[in-house]
Amino acid sequence: MRRRDVLAAALIACIVSALLALPAFDRVRGLSLDVAHWLRHIAFGQQYPTESSPAVVVALDEESYRTPPFADRPVVLWTPQIAAVLNAVIAGGAKVVGFDVILPQSVEAVARGYDREFLIALRNASRDGKVVLGKVQHQLLPIRPFPGQSFAVGHQQNIRSNNLFRDDDEVIRRAPLSFKSDDLEAGERTETSMAAELVARATGQAPEIVPGGAVRIAGRIVPGSASKNVTLNFDGGGRAIPLYSFADLFACAESGNAEYFKRHFDGRIVLIGTVLDVEDRKLSSMRFMTGTEGVANVPRCALQPMAGLHREDLERDTIAGVIIQATAVNNLMRGDTLVELDRVVIWLIDMLLALGAALLTLAFAPVAAGLSIVGAALAWTAGATLALRQSFVLPLLDPLLGAAIAFALVLGYRFAVADRDKRFLRQSFALYLAPSVVDRLVAAEKPPELGGESRDVTVWFSDVAGFTGISEKLSPGELVALMNEYLTAMTDIVEAHGGFVDKYIGDAIVAVFGAPHDDPDHALSAVRAALACQAKLSELNRDAVAFKGHRLACRIGINTGAMLVGNIGSRRRFNYTVMGDAANLASRLEGVNKMYGTRILASAATAERTGTAIVWREIDRVRVVGREQPVVMFEPIGEAASVPADVAERVATYERALAAYRARQFEAAATAFQGLAGDDQPARMFLERARGFVAAPPAEGWDGVMTLEGK
């Protein structure tokens, strides 16, 4: 990667992360927390058993509204029954009872003494600090308990706010620990929230501000409390908080079942609130993992659950407000409120992930970069999910969004700027150079220069037999069409087998296998390409319109060995090519095909490198022009797995005849070659030689090597 591109990627990452840090993206961060809750629930389920919850809820639920004596009666007329349940719960050992439901009205004005039992219950509980009434304020004036109730509990001493914080998207993710309020006599004062007050009374330890502004409750510093509010750690799919139907508890109290209240409420913090279908329902971070309502999650005392009250297929994204209060109580009791990072740290994380995505997009092809970023995103998501299990909030959606935006922007930058030169090179040279050579030129990111290296490669040389005679019969246009069809087909096959075309010399093709990209099987690739070219040429002779009945035959020579490979030429003009004696031998072998009537000839070095994948037969040992060392030539018959049995038998017969010939058993060799000579020119040649040696045996120093006089 060039320095310019890296700086551009870094700038894009900084801009993207800075935009994500703006308050406008706070909703994305809130959504991240909700999604992280859902992922944790999917991965690990409910974090705590329901029965271990420090807080329980006495629910004024749909069942209570439909059960006598509550049916068809307003809640203000339920005070005697509420008193009975309150007394039973406290007698059962509840640490403290908080009212999430507010009763701002009373029938005392028209039915004096109606609330007597309720007021006495409140007074008795408040003396021991075991009851806290709720209030709430959204407008200028708060909604408070009826004055008689306030008087019974000692006014502000046992009344706390039920307010919860809503984010801009109306989702509750945090709960306050304290509020500032105005008092007509005392002026401005700070008072604890409902949840904090209930925990303080249950533990017997008042909230304490420690240096730095954090709050200590229940003997431990509350994570994230320096801002005077805490991020809630929601658990379960709506079943982590035990819910007791008020109607069932009243019937239980009426029956005198004190043991039930002892078993279920001893040592617990109790919240009384509405759990209804429409009233006091709120969006929270649990909105993606709420469960079906109406499913009992605690044992009943006196009444069976009411049938046909709830739909089994309905899961809503809202929950009752009292469940949020109970969650806050549980978090404070367990010390597992969520720890969120500040904006600077979140910005750094967003920037690092965006920068990583940007650099990946620069370093790899778009598909590979995209897959890498998706893999990194999945890993980050898993890490954020695991972190939330430890009550630690890592940003989830915003860094992933930043990475996606950075990927798109850097991709656009690559197309418009970074890859423009590379595209120009590819488009300019693709018609003149092999794709592998162009790739190497582009990857180098610097001008090519003279130089080479010695490499083990395979050179492939082909030529069209009788091309001069064919060209004389065609017009220039017809000849061009014919050669373009032929050269295109042959080139495609060479490149499909990992080779590259070094040059065209008229109708001849020079190809190289094993450079510039390494191919340990370059000899086998070259032979397979040669066999495929012969098969394709037969198809073209039969079907190609451009051939117009002119049947072409091509001869191919192949040799493997150490050659000089690289940019070779003058300082102003050069070519990526191969040079050396091994390259020249491939050309000689191509020409020898004409003498032996073969289509493909390869050296022993090439044949040996193909192993058992190809069926070969030795054609002859010759001494070509320019080389003193004899060359053993082989003809590839075909892929070992596809050679027919009769062809394999003919090859075996030929090899036995050739072995007899080498052993100076000329009569036996002639007899064997006689059976093959009908349509096999090499066999006919050896038959003639064997017969000649029968008549006039060679000298004692005969080595069986044929010296060729021409190229």
Side-chain angles (χ1 to χ4, degrees), residues 435-437 439-440 455 498 513-519 576:
S436 57
V437 178
D439 289 342
R440 181 175 179 176
R455 294 184 64 167
F513 294 79
H517 298 306
D518 290 332
D519 178 7
Y576 187 85

Side-chain angles (χ1 to χ4, degrees), residues 58 63-64 67-70 80-82 84-86 88 244-258 260-261 300-304:
V58 174
E63 180 179 344
S64 299
T67 302
F70 312 106
Q81 292 80 23
I82 295 175
V85 172
L86 176 60
Y244 295 86
S245 174
F246 176 71
D248 182 55
L249 291 183
F250 174 68
C252 189
E254 286 286 280
S255 68
N257 191 348
Y260 179 87
F261 286 95
R300 305 280 286 204
C301 176
L303 303 179
Q304 292 299 317

Side-chain angles (χ1 to χ4, degrees), residues 260-500:
Y260 179 87
F261 286 95
K262 181 70 173 177
R263 185 168 65 252
H264 290 274
F265 294 95
D266 187 27
R268 312 293 275 275
I269 298 173
V270 181
L271 282 153
I272 299 176
T274 57
V275 182
L276 300 175
D277 191 42
V278 293
E279 184 180 335
D280 191 34
R281 299 192 68 90
K282 297 177 172 62
L283 286 171
S284 70
S285 286
M286 202 162 67
R287 57 180 167 152
F288 298 129
M289 59 178 186
T290 55
T292 303
E293 297 183 6
V295 179
N297 63 352
V298 294
R300 305 280 286 204
C301 176
L303 303 179
Q304 292 299 317
M306 186 175 291
L309 188 60
H310 297 277
R311 288 174 49 186
E312 296 181 358
D313 62 335
L314 180 62
E315 293 187 15
R316 304 175 63 188
D317 56 358
T318 58
I319 58 174
V322 68
I323 295 178
I324 300 178
Q325 291 285 5
T327 298
V329 169
N330 281 352
N331 289 174
L332 294 174
M333 289 293 291
R334 291 167 173 158
D336 64 352
T337 53
L338 297 180
V339 178
E340 292 190 277
L341 302 173
D342 59 37
R343 285 185 178 272
V344 174
V345 177
I346 293 175
W347 172 75
L348 287 173
I349 291 174
D350 291 348
M351 185 182 67
L352 288 175
L353 266 67
L355 179 60
L359 294 178
L360 284 173
T361 308
L362 278 180
F364 299 104
V367 174
L371 292 176
S372 299
I373 292 171
V374 169
L378 292 175
W380 180 259
T381 301
T385 303
L386 290 171
L388 190 66
R389 198 180 188 198
Q390 304 300 319
S391 304
F392 190 80
V393 181
L394 286 177
L396 179 57
L397 297 184
D398 36 333
L400 300 186
L401 177 62
I405 295 174
F407 170 72
L409 292 178
V410 175
L411 206 59
Y413 169 81
R414 281 187 59 175
F415 181 81
V417 180
D419 290 349
R420 182 174 56 190
D421 295 340
K422 294 181 179 180
R423 288 198 306 275
F424 175 76
L425 284 174
R426 291 183 190 277
Q427 294 169 359
S428 299
F429 292 101
L431 299 177
Y432 301 94
L433 299 174
S436 57
V437 178
V438 177
D439 289 342
R440 181 175 179 176
L441 181 65
V442 171
E445 295 188 347
K446 61 180 181 179
E449 55 188 21
L450 288 172
E453 60 178 335
S454 179
R455 294 184 64 167
D456 185 69
V457 297
T458 297
V459 175
W460 192 93
F461 196 98
S462 74
D463 199 5
V464 175
F467 178 71
T468 301
I470 295 173
S471 63
E472 291 174 350
K473 300 175 184 178
L474 299 174
S475 68
E478 291 173 332
L479 181 61
V480 169
L482 174 64
M483 291 313 299
N484 285 345
E485 183 86 14
Y486 165 75
L487 293 174
T488 297
M490 301 301 105
T491 300
D492 289 345
I493 292 173
V494 167
E495 293 180 351
H497 286 79
F500 81 90

Side-chain angles (χ1 to χ4, degrees), residues 47-48 88 154 209 214 275 299 357 377 379 431 534 552 623:
Q47 302 299 292
Y48 299 96
I209 306 290
V275 182
L431 299 177
Q534 294 294 353
L552 300 187
R623 187 174 286 108

